Amino acid sequence: MSIRICFIASEVAPLAKTGGLADVAGALAKTLQARGHDLRVFMPRYGQINCENLQLWPVDFLQRVPLRLGSRDLRFDVHTTQLPGTATMIYLIDCPELFDRQTIYTNDPDEHLRFLALTHAALICCQRMGFAPDILHCNDWHTALGPLLLKTVFAWDKLFARTRSLLTLHNLGYQGVFGTDSAADTGLGTDIELLDRQEWQAGRINPLKEGIVHADHISTVSPTYAREIQTADFGWGLDGVLRQRSGDLTGILNGVDYEDWDPRHDRHLPLHYGPDQLHIKAQLKQQLQQRMGLAVAAERPLLGVVSRMTAQKGFDLLFQSLPPLLEARDASLVVLGSGDRRYEDFFADLAARWPDRVAFHAGYNEELAHWIEAGSDIFLMPSLYEPCGLNQMYSLRYGTVPVVRRTGGLADSVQHFDATTGRGTGIVFNDFDGFGVGWALTTALDLYAQKKLWGKLIRNGMAMDYGWSTQVGHYESLYAQLSSATPVKAA
Ligand code: ADP
């Protein structure tokens, strides 16, 4: 059955990406489209998008489209382009005054308005195209007001009479809260009275909360995270509303785009390998050591990190545990990432202290991320929480053993290795403390020294399949189930 889907996301790889949301949006869109669904993907045309190698086609009936939100009289144009490397067409909402900024996300006072405009614009485009979606699929706080808009501002339009809304939570830590003084920017008019009263009384509008309350269904990016977010420890204050909607909450593990992330044909790598060519992986390790200015040492285990540098990623645990480990063990470390100063400083200090064994590259570098996945022996993700996480799944395919904490999608995608049975794909620790991560790293390094066991562990991981071809089926079932269900009421 072909399903009509309006998919709205603030980032879609490879056009604009800050994290996993972009990877998921790009790959899911590509897979759904290849499976014959009628998919319309909407995202902003950011100033950062490199249009040199893109062919952009203006949609002639979607030019200078007026959009009034609060006191702002906006106009937007729409261009289509092919998502690079795919046959998927994507609609870019072009409104330079909102989207041509230094960075994709900002701390500007109109941040909420930028994404409200995206959401309104996508629905207006559906109207002008005469496109009646079966599913409105929104992602994270940026587009989370979509379900409420559908049931209020756009409710008069019969086009949407059969549309059901799905909100996917990629990360509950970002909720897009803004002040009630900007309530008019929602475009809800008198329907602002439907906004959550408790938040309103505190002077806040919480888009993510509104999405959770008003979407017909909610999904998140792993089964474990779906359970975790219903607890006070992981709920970021929204566990109560999530528990109320627990019957409408599904966890679907993200997939991996193996066209991009497979060492057998990775376009960023100078050499390629599969499970039977691990000597080539060893060569890539040496090339990585050279590239990063580390001593070339074939036998020395190399730990890799590619990450946003935020508290979520668990680097606080390393402050106490990593320096003594590097002191005691002959291991090296390569880190790529940027974010909070204290983590960047920490890794820069380690690199200064052990220049032969530790390298830190501050910044964002897609190509280097692929090199680190391929060239490292061990990939470290000690996350405090991790809705899904992609890097551990990439690591498995690259024969790079993931060391992860048992949380969210990490718990769902990495099985702790049992040396007696030979089963398992990585090293998994439970407690969020220095002992936990210290134990996990020591266990990994001890196993690394036992070549036969290590080879088994690597091959177990490389045999795993987390491709979208499997995961997409879960979305298709959910869409089908939703299209035949009755909607959640607006009030
Ligand atoms: P999150 O979405 O929380 O950042 P994920 O593991 O789901 O975490 O996705 C992160 C994605 O972003 C991966 O594709 C990873 O390779 C990429 N990434 C993160 N930081 C960098 C960086 N500094 N340079 C290149 N890629 C990065």
Side-chain angles (χ1 to χ4, degrees), residues 422-435:
R423 294 220 186 95
T425 54
I427 308 298
V428 184
F429 67 98
N430 291 325
D431 296 335
F432 189 75
D433 57 34
F435 292 114

Side-chain angles (χ1 to χ4, degrees), residues 394-451:
Y394 302 155
S395 300
L396 291 171
R397 184 48 65 105
Y398 284 73
T400 303
V401 174
V403 171
V404 304
R405 197 172 89 77
R406 195 185 304 280
T407 182
L410 299 176
D412 293 336
S413 57
V414 182
Q415 291 79 42
H416 184 67
F417 183 69
D418 179 341
T420 48
T421 62
R423 294 220 186 95
T425 54
I427 308 298
V428 184
F429 67 98
N430 291 325
D431 296 335
F432 189 75
D433 57 34
F435 292 114
V437 73
W439 169 82
L441 284 171
T442 310
T443 305
L445 294 176
D446 290 347
L447 270 173
Y448 176 84
Q450 304 172 61
K451 290 292 167 228

Side-chain angles (χ1 to χ4, degrees), residues 352-393:
R353 187 159 158 202
W354 288 286
D356 279 2
R357 290 202 282 137
V358 180
F360 172 48
H361 183 99
Y364 188 92
N365 186 326
E366 189 79 28
E367 187 223 5
L368 184 55
H370 287 249
W371 273 58
I372 293 175
E373 283 291 2
S376 305
D377 298 300
I378 296 166
F379 196 91
L380 180 57
M381 288 180 81
S383 304
L384 173 61
Y385 74 95
E386 194 62 74
C388 178
L390 291 167
N391 279 110
Q392 81 282 7
M393 294 194 276

Side-chain angles (χ1 to χ4, degrees), residues 284-328:
L284 287 166
K285 172 177 171 179
Q286 295 192 23
Q287 291 193 19
L288 176 63
Q289 288 170 326
Q290 262 165 358
R291 173 175 175 170
M292 301 306 288
L294 298 173
V296 175
E299 289 302 315
R300 179 180 289 160
L302 177 58
L303 304 167
V305 171
V306 178
S307 185
R308 290 183 297 117
M309 300 272 158
T310 66
Q312 176 201 336
K313 300 295 179 181
F315 299 124
D316 288 292
L317 295 187
L318 303 181
F319 288 180
Q320 292 301 321
S321 52
L322 205 48
L325 189 99
L326 287 166
E327 196 73 67

Side-chain angles (χ1 to χ4, degrees), residues 67-234:
L67 173 59
R68 188 177 169 86
L69 290 178
S71 58
R72 296 279 282 274
D73 263 321
L74 302 162
R75 281 187 184 271
F76 65 89
D77 297 336
V78 180
H79 292 82
T80 55
T81 189
Q82 209 163 346
L83 198 60
T86 75
T88 307
M89 295 309 287
I90 185 157
Y91 292 91
L92 298 173
I93 306 298
D94 191 2
C95 182
E97 74 173 282
L98 296 180
F99 300 126
D100 197 358
R101 308 251 167 117
Q102 288 290 320
T103 47
I104 291 177
Y105 302 124
T106 75
N107 291 318
D108 296 344
D110 63 351
E111 184 71 352
H112 62 282
L113 183 101
R114 299 174 71 219
F115 295 104
L116 272 161
L118 167 68
T119 314
H120 275 270
L123 291 169
I124 293 169
C125 288
C126 288
Q127 289 177 311
R128 294 206 175 192
M129 294 188 294
F131 178 70
D134 299 308
I135 300 291
L136 170 67
H137 190 159
C138 299
N139 293 278
D140 274 352
W141 76 262
H142 313 91
T143 51
L145 279 161
L148 182 56
L149 293 178
L150 201 60
K151 287 165 184 163
T152 52
V153 183
F154 293 88
W156 64 269
D157 194 339
K158 289 202 176 59
L159 190 78
F160 298 116
R162 293 184 52 80
T163 306
R164 301 290 174 265
S165 58
L166 171 65
L167 171 67
T168 298
L169 308 171
H170 297 261
N171 192 334
L172 213 62
Y174 303 87
Q175 300 178 4
V177 172
F178 59 97
T180 46
D181 50 342
S182 302
D185 294 348
T186 59
L188 281 166
T190 53
D191 286 323
I192 52 170
E193 65 188 33
L194 292 173
L195 293 169
D196 185 274
R197 285 296 100 188
Q198 203 186 341
E199 296 290 333
W200 186 271
Q201 276 152 15
R204 294 188 303 249
I205 295 169
N206 183 327
L208 198 65
K209 189 173 186 179
E210 298 301 340
I212 292 168
V213 171
H214 293 287
D216 291 313
H217 200 90
I218 305 136
S219 74
T220 187
V221 289
S222 68
T224 296
Y225 193 60
R227 287 191 296 276
E228 286 174 341
I229 55 178
Q230 297 180 58
T231 67
D233 281 351
F234 292 88

